[in-house]
């Protein structure tokens, strides 16, 4: 379990974001596409927790693209659900 997940679980999304951003940079450098997609989803969840659904949607859409590319069907399903929740929060 990464530090971002720990802070997210503790209800500290801003601290989690700092660690997820570092993780994302490393995953890009190492060309870990699946990990990149997961981390983008985690960032989306943090912004959703902060009440910023539009920003969350931006991260979820990036995540979904990578999850489709890497054929992570489970991750796709979870991300689609997260997107639905954000749009519901926006009344769309």
């Amino acid at each position: 379990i990464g530090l971002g997940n720990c802070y997210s679980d503790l209800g500290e999304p801003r601290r989690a974001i700092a660690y997820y951003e570092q993780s994302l940079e490393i995953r890009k450098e190492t060309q870990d596409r699946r990990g990149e997609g997961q981390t983008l989803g985690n960032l989306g969840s943090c912004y959703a927790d902060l009440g910023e659904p539009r920003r969350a949607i931006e991260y979820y859409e990036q995540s979904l693209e990578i999850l489709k590319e890497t054929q992570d069907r489970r991750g796709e399903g979870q991300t689609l659900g997260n997107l639905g929740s954000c749009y519901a929060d926006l009344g769309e």
Side-chain angles (χ1 to χ4, degrees), residues 1-11 16 19-20 38 42 46:
I1 296 178
L3 286 170
N5 291 343
C6 291
Y7 282 113
S8 183
D9 290 347
L10 288 170
Y19 287 103
Y20 288 139
Q38 292 168 345
N42 290 340
C46 286

Side-chain angles (χ1 to χ4, degrees), residues 18-60:
Y19 287 103
Y20 288 139
E21 287 175 344
Q22 290 177 57
S23 173
L24 184 61
E25 193 174 309
I26 291 167
R27 290 179 187 272
K28 285 180 179 181
E29 286 174 11
T30 61
Q31 299 177 0
D32 177 4
R33 292 294 282 166
R34 182 169 285 194
E36 187 178 338
Q38 292 168 345
T39 303
L40 287 163
N42 290 340
L43 282 161
S45 294
C46 286
Y47 283 108
D49 290 345
L50 288 170
E52 297 183 39
R54 292 226 183 268
R55 194 154 185 199
I57 288 168
E58 292 174 19
Y59 282 101
Y60 287 143

Side-chain angles (χ1 to χ4, degrees), residues 62-80:
Q62 291 177 64
S63 174
L64 184 61
E65 183 178 321
I66 292 170
L67 294 169
K68 286 180 179 179
E69 174 189 311
T70 60
Q71 300 178 351
D72 182 347
R73 297 288 290 161
R74 185 176 179 180
E76 280 183 57
Q78 183 176 4
T79 302
L80 287 167

